[in-house]
Amino acid sequence: MSRTVLLVDDDAPVREALGQTLELADVDVIAAGSFVAAKDRIVAGFDGVILSDMRMPGRDGFHLLHYAREQDPDLPVILLTGEGDIPMAVRAMEAGAFDFLEKPCAPSALLAVIERALKTRALVLENRRLLHIVESGDPAARLIFGTSDLSNVTRAKVRRAAMSEAEVLVTGPYGSGISKVSEVVHMCSPRAKEPFVKRAAEGLGAQELTEALQMTGRGSLFLDEVTQLPAQTQLTLIEALEGAPKARLIAGSTRDLQALVGEGRFHADLYYRLEVMTVRIPSLAERPEDIPTLFRRYVGQAAEQSGLNAPEVTPQVIAGLMARDWPGNARALMSAAMRFVMGVADDVAPDAGLGLAEQMAQVERSLLQAALRRAGGQATAAAEALKLPRKTFYDKLTRYGIRAEDFRS
């Protein structure tokens, strides 16, 4: 969930004080001294909320509210009012303001309204995203979850692989969903209405492979953990592929095929056919920002399957999840979601000795480290990926004792 507030107030000391209050609550602040300065930020895709003074020279809070609702009727606008502005604020609420606060307001009251507005905004944007997925009919968008850049890259690779006629190799760490992603490749392809046949490569004989190819017809044959395919069956598969079979091969593996080729444990000709079109699934450790999205979705699925009400996924729960490494990846997270729904989720609970601020600090630290890891230790690129000003990014690195150079290869 984004934690961004566009703060608009012409009084510099007030603007600075409000900004400090929000930043202490781990809210990212975009400060502007007028409507004109804020205007370019007020767009339908803005994932934060607006906090604006009512009375400003030139274009006032009413004008800002009207403009914001023209861009996006669901964009929350919170107005700050003086003692004599209450009737005006009431009219603003009738005109669509999310809420109003009388100045001076207590930090607790301000933060409570801001938190409510941020949650409302996140829910609206998520619902829009899901609606777009339903309307687009895109299996990659519907079935490959996550909002990180790496997830977007994975979906793009799946679509590209699907539209080619080459064999496809889907790789990833244990529990990352290789079989599922392979099926999505099939569903995105022109063969989507044809059969998708799955076979375990381990112990698969040459005759069984031939029968599977025949059964697949013009569809897709998925061989799970292709590195386990017996040597004779590998030769049979190479011959079949050279004969241009009707079926398309999609192979999956958690292992390094190139290394196995070097060790003489996997046929080089088969490897070079498969590696032309490769889809690699990133681990959760590489994209921790996807953990909240994935967990909430798995909780919903688990609740539906078990006929139970889904428990609330609180920030404390998310902090506990993101403090873990998840070597079992999506499969382990799915199991944790089921236990959470069943009420036996001791492994999901955060460290009881940590307060909320400490738990959220763990989350922030892991996101900073993941961004640096993806950027190869280039701080500027990592800051841009997290949509943070460079100074803010460096300040956070200093706070957590993180050194960008430690992530350079």
Side-chain angles (χ1 to χ4, degrees):
M1 181 181 81
S2 170
R3 295 182 60 78
T4 303
V5 171
L6 174 58
L7 172 60
V8 188
D9 198 311
D10 64 302
D11 189 324
V14 172
R15 190 169 66 242
E16 183 176 352
L18 290 170
Q20 288 178 349
T21 298
L22 294 172
E23 288 176 348
L24 287 172
D26 288 329
V27 174
D28 295 322
V29 178
I30 302 171
S34 66
F35 165 75
V36 173
K39 181 179 177 181
D40 290 344
R41 299 280 189 173
I42 306 174
V43 294
F46 182 59
D47 59 1
V49 302
I50 301 172
L51 176 64
S52 174
D53 190 19
M54 179 72 80
R55 292 188 180 276
M56 294 183 291
R59 306 293 190 177
D60 62 8
F62 256 121
H63 181 86
L64 184 148
L65 172 63
H66 178 71
Y67 181 82
R69 287 186 60 77
E70 282 185 338
Q71 307 309 307
D72 185 342
D74 298 317
L75 179 55
V77 177
I78 304 161
L79 295 172
L80 295 168
T81 68
E83 185 177 350
D85 294 333
I86 301 301
M88 187 186 299
V90 172
R91 293 201 307 273
M93 292 289 289
E94 293 172 350
F98 182 84
D99 207 337
F100 71 90
L101 293 164
E102 187 176 358
K103 296 191 295 185
C105 57
S108 58
L110 171 64
L111 294 175
V113 174
I114 292 292
E115 291 292 345
R116 185 160 53 87
L118 288 170
K119 289 178 181 178
T120 300
R121 185 60 173 164
L123 182 61
V124 165
L125 294 179
E126 175 67 6
N127 287 339
R128 286 182 186 173
R129 187 183 70 82
L130 294 175
L131 179 61
H132 174 72
I133 289 171
V134 171
E135 292 176 345
S136 69
D138 179 359
R142 289 201 318 270
L143 299 171
I144 299 177
F145 309 137
T147 57
S148 67
D149 290 343
L150 283 176
S151 291
N152 291 333
V153 168
T154 301
R155 283 187 284 268
K157 287 182 177 179
V158 164
R159 297 183 188 107
R160 187 164 59 249
M163 298 312 295
S164 75
E165 280 300 303
E167 291 79 31
V168 179
L169 174 63
V170 180
T171 67
Y174 175 81
S176 59
I178 290 174
S179 176
K180 174 186 172 182
V181 170
S182 297
E183 188 165 6
V184 174
V185 171
H186 170 75
M187 293 171 66
C188 290
S189 75
R191 301 171 183 258
K193 295 183 179 179
E194 302 295 335
F196 179 74
V197 177
K198 295 192 280 188
R199 291 289 185 272
E202 185 175 8
L204 187 70
Q207 182 61 36
E208 293 170 304
L209 172 66
T210 301
E211 292 172 356
L213 286 168
Q214 292 172 348
M215 181 184 299
T216 304
R218 295 187 177 278
S220 302
L221 173 63
F222 171 62
L223 293 181
D224 192 17
E225 199 51 77
V226 69
T227 60
Q228 300 296 316
L229 202 64
Q232 183 57 48
T233 310
Q234 290 184 37
L235 293 174
T236 301
L237 180 56
I238 293 169
E239 291 175 2
L241 294 175
E242 289 176 347
K246 297 178 181 178
R248 181 192 200 179
L249 175 66
I250 303 176
S253 179
T254 60
R255 306 179 69 185
D256 184 345
L257 269 70
Q258 189 172 23
L260 293 176
V261 169
E263 296 169 5
R265 298 166 61 186
F266 193 78
H267 204 291
D269 287 351
L270 182 54
Y271 166 71
Y272 289 119
R273 290 196 69 110
L274 293 176
E275 63 97 26
V276 171
M277 188 60 67
T278 301
V279 176
R280 176 184 170 274
I281 308 170
S283 66
L284 283 185
E286 296 174 86
R287 50 187 182 113
E289 60 268 46
D290 282 341
I291 291 175
T293 301
L294 291 171
F295 187 73
R296 288 190 175 96
R297 187 173 293 274
Y298 294 154
V299 165
Q301 292 174 349
E304 183 178 352
Q305 292 169 5
S306 61
L308 298 172
N309 292 326
E312 181 185 3
V313 182
T314 65
Q316 293 93 328
V317 169
I318 294 300
L321 294 169
M322 294 189 68
R324 297 174 56 186
D325 292 335
W326 296 103
N329 292 289
R331 186 175 302 171
L333 192 63
M334 196 178 299
S335 297
M338 177 60 78
R339 292 192 294 275
F340 180 70
V341 170
M342 299 295 290
V344 292
D346 291 341
D347 58 333
V348 173
D351 186 339
L354 297 180
L356 177 58
E358 293 167 306
Q359 294 167 31
M360 297 309 294
Q362 288 184 337
V363 173
E364 187 173 52
R365 184 186 296 108
S366 68
L367 291 175
L368 292 168
Q369 291 172 333
L372 283 169
R373 191 177 299 112
R374 290 195 300 270
Q378 298 303 312
T380 299
E384 290 176 355
L386 292 175
K387 298 179 175 61
L388 287 175
R390 282 203 303 173
K391 183 180 184 305
T392 302
F393 183 77
Y394 281 112
D395 287 346
K396 290 181 182 295
L397 293 187
T398 301
R399 181 191 308 171
Y400 296 119
I402 299 173
R403 301 193 317 163
E405 54 266 30
D406 292 342
F407 295 84
R408 294 174 190 155
S409 55

